[in-house]
Amino acid sequence: MQRPVVIGLILLIVGNLFSAFYDVSIKWLPDDANASTFLLVRQISSVFMLLPVWLYSQRPMTTHISVHLWRANIGSVGALFLIIGLMALPLATVSSLFYSAPLMIILMGYFFLRERITVAQTICTGLGFVGILIILRPSEMNWYGIAVLFSAFTFAVNQLALKKVPNAEHPVLTLMLYNLLGIPATLVIAAFQGIEGLSWELVGVALLSNAFLLVYHWFCVLAYRKAQASDIAIAEYTGLLFIVFLGWLLFDEWLDNLSWLGAALIVLPSLCLPWLGSLLSKSTPKVADTLTGK
């Protein structure tokens, strides 16, 4: 496996640990919390948290404001749907649904960015998708589950859109614009729903979850710039392990036997991807020799 791919995988795995912390923090919101109000507070606080870093980095600017505006508005809607799902569903269910995003990333990377998909990647993503269906149990699908699936789709679109941003652009600028440019859309949604449940407790949770999310996005920016999306997106599945562990540790949630099977189908293929890719690449010439009679 090439060095940039290895580095990208490591960065993405570490980032997913902080993503799991973010999911957990949503569970600590007050009972009267409003999803759009929380998102608005989180976005505003993130801009203030990133501002000193942006100033320290000599105020980097962008020439791709349209890409950032597109990502920010899609991200705001997707984040709102994810928060709604996290407030209503168990962590494991939300995470299982959200980890359909790597499959979407690989497929959209192939169709829209013309990225190469290997046989090994196809097998691993297929098994991961089957694992997600096993954990989800489609018969139990509800509107909250659909909201999380839509959030996964917006996440996949945003990750692929990073490929349109030059590698030379400073990551802190990408993160700050992602939150800053999304505030107007979130403000409209919050005004429509009504700004309710605003409290110091909500602000505290927003600051904590925002810190986790900013670290996660930082690692994502670095990872997806290091390697093409289809090579490292499979590492997103490892976040499910972190969620299962934190759900058990903090909320006494645990997977049943069937769910463990689904989790194995999601995680193990991604861990075996380098070995599987090497095995298939070695076997392909042998098959070709057999067909040609050489």
Side-chain angles (χ1 to χ4, degrees), residues 21-78:
F21 289 149
Y22 170 76
D23 291 349
V24 168
S25 67
I26 302 299
K27 291 292 187 180
W28 293 331
L29 282 171
D31 293 335
D32 61 343
N34 182 294
S36 58
T37 301
F38 169 75
L39 178 59
L40 181 62
V41 172
R42 187 182 64 71
Q43 287 180 325
I44 294 174
S45 62
S46 69
V47 173
F48 283 104
M49 292 172 69
L50 287 168
L51 187 59
V53 183
W54 178 72
L55 293 173
Y56 178 79
S57 304
Q58 299 180 343
R59 303 178 182 180
M61 303 300 291
T62 183
T63 57
H64 294 74
I65 192 67
S66 60
V67 177
H68 291 292
L69 185 63
W70 172 263
R71 292 187 72 248
N73 284 277
I74 291 179
S76 293
V77 177

Side-chain angles (χ1 to χ4, degrees), residues 9 19 22 28 30 37 54 71 84 125 128-129 141 152 180-181 184 188 190 206 229 231 243 272 278-279 293:
L9 286 170
S19 176
Y22 170 76
W28 293 331
T37 301
W54 178 72
R71 292 187 72 248
I84 291 173
T125 52
F129 186 70
M141 178 76 77
L180 179 63
L181 298 178
V188 170
D231 283 336
I243 285 294
C272 299
S278 176
L279 180 64

